[in-house]
Amino acid sequence: MNQTTTSPVPAKLGATSRSNAWLIEPAVIFCGFALFVCYVTWRALYDWQYIEWGPYLSPFFSPKLIFPGWQWSPAILLLWEPAAFRATCYYFRKAYYRALFLDPPACAVGHLGGHKYTGENRFPLILQNVHRYFLYLALTVLALLWVDAFVACSYRGHIRIGVGTVVLTVNCLLLSFYTCGCHALRHLVGGRLKCFSCSTAAHGQFKIWQCVTRLNERHALWAWTSLGTVAFADFYVRMLAAGVWTDISLLQL
Ligand code: FES
């Protein structure tokens, strides 16, 4: 079946009969993307000597990979996975199709790219369907970040909770909300079931599906807050490692 359809929106970029401030959302999203990409690029490629302090390891450089002879930033080996996971995320796809590709910049607003719309049924956008495989990797990365958060609770043989422990833990929590609210995960845990009450196992799956659905309802919120906390967690560890900030101890046993 030919999926090509005629778009109902005006062909001229920005043309619309909408009278509300539709431009604000794509503009804010564009600024958010630009800020994050600039920061990550700077940290990953130019400022990667500050990756850990005491028991804290920056989430950009976790797990800590050391290969003899490797002289470049370890982030090159790590960051492709979260980047691919977020780039293929259903929410972020909508966000950057609008804010970066202007195709369209908002609902019922004239867009770039003419009237032909083929959805994600053809190359290259059909490749977005690999998202579910990046989800499996993202769950593994998330488990490793939780291990880092637990490791951050001890220092030199003592239990110690510092501000950094809180920062890393909050980051893991928000990343968990984001990852566990994934549309692909929602389908994985309950999307294929035809009957939720036909067996105990199916009922258990239904409960999990409900939890994922609750997180999924706020997926955009978790997407942006986790993007902010992961950058801040890295920045916090970086500032400690560079000797600019001092970690305040909240509890020591
Ligand atoms: S849809 Fe957003 S993380 Fe899967």
Side-chain angles (χ1 to χ4, degrees):
M1 189 174 75
N2 188 355
Q3 296 287 335
T4 304
T5 56
T6 302
S7 168
V9 300
K12 192 169 165 235
L13 178 63
T16 184
S17 51
R18 288 179 62 172
S19 57
N20 65 343
W22 59 266
L23 190 56
I24 291 179
E25 187 179 333
V28 169
I29 288 173
F30 179 87
C31 293
F33 279 139
L35 213 61
F36 186 78
V37 169
C38 289
Y39 176 72
V40 174
T41 306
W42 171 67
R43 276 291 282 147
L45 300 181
Y46 301 107
D47 189 60
W48 53 274
Q49 62 274 39
Y50 303 117
I51 68 169
E52 62 183 337
W53 176 89
Y56 306 153
L57 176 62
S58 159
F60 285 1
F61 300 91
S62 176
K64 200 169 155 189
L65 298 177
I66 298 172
F67 295 111
W70 181 267
Q71 298 166 354
W72 302 278
S73 168
I76 296 169
L77 302 171
L78 298 167
L79 290 184
W80 63 270
E81 192 285 327
F85 180 56
R86 290 200 181 242
T88 55
C89 162
Y90 287 66
Y91 163 70
F92 276 123
R93 269 140 77 171
K94 182 188 94 170
Y96 68 78
Y97 287 170
R98 291 183 176 189
L100 304 185
F101 300 165
L102 305 176
D103 197 16
C107 285
V109 175
H111 56 114
L112 281 180
H115 272 315
K116 296 266 180 173
Y117 176 69
T118 58
E120 294 175 328
N121 297 300
R122 294 183 188 175
F123 184 82
L125 293 183
I126 198 168
L127 295 177
Q128 302 278 30
N129 288 309
V130 297
H131 181 63
R132 74 193 73 167
Y133 302 108
F134 288 122
L135 165 68
Y136 307 145
L137 289 173
L139 288 169
T140 311
V141 171
L142 183 61
L144 293 171
L145 291 179
W146 272 112
V147 171
D148 290 344
F150 281 115
V151 169
C153 296
S154 78
Y155 189 41
R156 293 180 176 158
H158 296 282
I159 292 179
R160 178 184 180 278
I161 307 290
V163 172
T165 318
V166 176
V167 169
L168 293 179
T169 306
V170 169
N171 177 45
C172 284
L173 260 181
L174 287 165
L175 283 173
S176 301
F177 291 165
Y178 170 59
T179 309
C180 296
C182 171
H183 291 68
L185 183 65
R186 187 166 172 265
H187 176 73
L188 194 70
V189 297
R192 289 164 295 118
L193 280 183
K194 297 215 173 355
C195 173
F196 282 134
S197 58
C198 296
S199 69
T200 313
H203 189 68
Q205 255 181 287
F206 178 56
K207 291 280 172 209
I208 299 171
W209 179 82
Q210 279 183 312
C211 293
V212 174
T213 300
R214 245 171 249 134
L215 291 172
N216 181 266
E217 284 164 3
R218 300 266 182 283
H219 196 52
L221 174 70
W222 307 132
W224 282 106
T225 49
S226 62
L227 206 66
T229 56
V230 78
F232 181 73
D234 170 75
F235 185 67
Y236 186 84
V237 174
R238 189 243 174 247
M239 296 305 264
L240 294 181
V244 180
W245 288 355
T246 305
D247 188 55
I248 297 170
S249 177
L250 304 173
L251 175 75
Q252 192 148 1
L253 301 172

